Amino acid sequence: MKPSAFEYHRVRSVDEAVSLLTRLGGDAKLLAGGQSLVGMMNFRLARPSALIDISLVDALNYITSNEEGLRIGALTSHRAVERLDDPVASERFSVLPRSAHWIGHYAIRSVGTFGGSIAHADPAAEWCMLALLLDAEVVAVGPQGERVVPIGDFFTGFLQTDLAEDEMLTEVRIRTAWPHAALHEFSRRHGDFAIVAAAAAVQMSGDHCTDARIVIGGVDSTVIRVADAESVLTGATINAEAIGEAAAAAARAVDPPEDLNGSAAYRRHLTEVLVRRALDEAIAHGE
Amino acid sequence: MKDIHDIEITINGERRAVTVESRRTLADVLRHDLGLTGTHLGCEHGVCGACTVLVDGLPARSCLMFGVQADGREVETVEGLGTPENLNTLQQAFMTEHGLQCGFCTPGFLMLLTALLRENPNPSDDEIRDVVASNICRCTGYAGILRAARLAADSDAIAT
């Protein structure tokens, strides 16, 4: 349970981090909160040749909101999102602070970072699900400068993203307010990774749904949107029947894996139950 | 080739200089290089919480952090709380309420609850329960730990 040897570099700016990433090559990894990476290194599931410690790049620790939406700096801790007290942001994007308690535990949330979670791209990670749910954009900086990646193009496979080897995630942007949104999950022990997690967001006009997003975690190699469930809701009058139909459509659409934590059928069952719970809370919230 | 760094960590208010290999976790630096064996290691992958310390005032699992990352930062360990002759309020509450049996997990719980009570000196029972779920204790069944945290919070004299 000890990591293999690596070179350690501490940087204070994005420019320094990117130039080191470029110089050290593909075996170098960025170290932010380290709450996933260091555990994987202790198991030697990850053996980077070098770590570039960005945890003290203070310029990336912020949450700002204005009429263009919400911006979260990559090094903002989970705990800072959980304690978000900006009145505008916490009304329009309240699903972020409301969902943070599902992430690990107090110590993990104090150290782990929002950007680190997105870049790690775990298929059951709450921030990855909510980024997809809320149509986020990811800002990546590389030697050629900055580019903005729509979240739908960002997660490319299990723990894989669209980031190039010499690129660094610096910010996540969410433009559209989704006051009616919620996330629910199930795990055997609170704070463990979810066996299945579901997030739902709806735009409402009276009791009429004008747009919907359903995202499931833990059933595929990445977090996924379920168009079949969204289309049940969009344009419909929202009542218990519509919610039940959407949940059933989500359960039919997913193709979950089997492992020690549960069979595919069990995960499909959880998908239906959790989509229903997420929709119930999403619709009730902000009424 | 070993990647060696000369670092300085302020531990329990005292500046300590130490030479470490970068792959050495903060927990191992504390225990092996600095002789502070009050920090215990259970799982070494961030699940059990036995190795919880405070880094710049925030609770952190010292098995998920490298010692070299603590260079120039402040670390607090269980040795910085009370002494055997003069336990602090939280430690005394653990004794009074039987918040430990074998004691292996206790330093982690003490540091975790120190962080909670500094941030929120008057937590609800639910908040205490949620935070205590961070760490694993295989002896007590947690009831004594919850009572100890409640007693410490109610005595409103959490030592810092």
Side-chain angles (χ1 to χ4, degrees), chain B residues 42-76:
Chain B
C43 71
E44 295 188 85
H45 65 287
V47 171
C48 77
C51 67
T52 303
V53 299
L54 307 189
V55 179
D56 291 339
L58 294 174
R61 293 182 168 173
S62 58
C63 73
L64 291 187
M65 187 171 171
F66 297 107
V68 65
Q69 289 181 271
D71 187 18
R73 301 173 77 175
E74 290 198 19
V75 174
E76 293 169 75

Side-chain angles (χ1 to χ4, degrees), chain A residues 164-187:
Chain A
E165 284 180 351
D166 53 4
E167 277 184 322
M168 165 175 175
L169 187 162
T170 57
E171 185 180 88
V172 175
R173 298 176 182 163
I174 303 170
R175 294 185 185 280
T176 311
W178 292 86
H180 297 284
L183 183 147
H184 274 264
E185 64 182 55
F186 181 79
S187 61

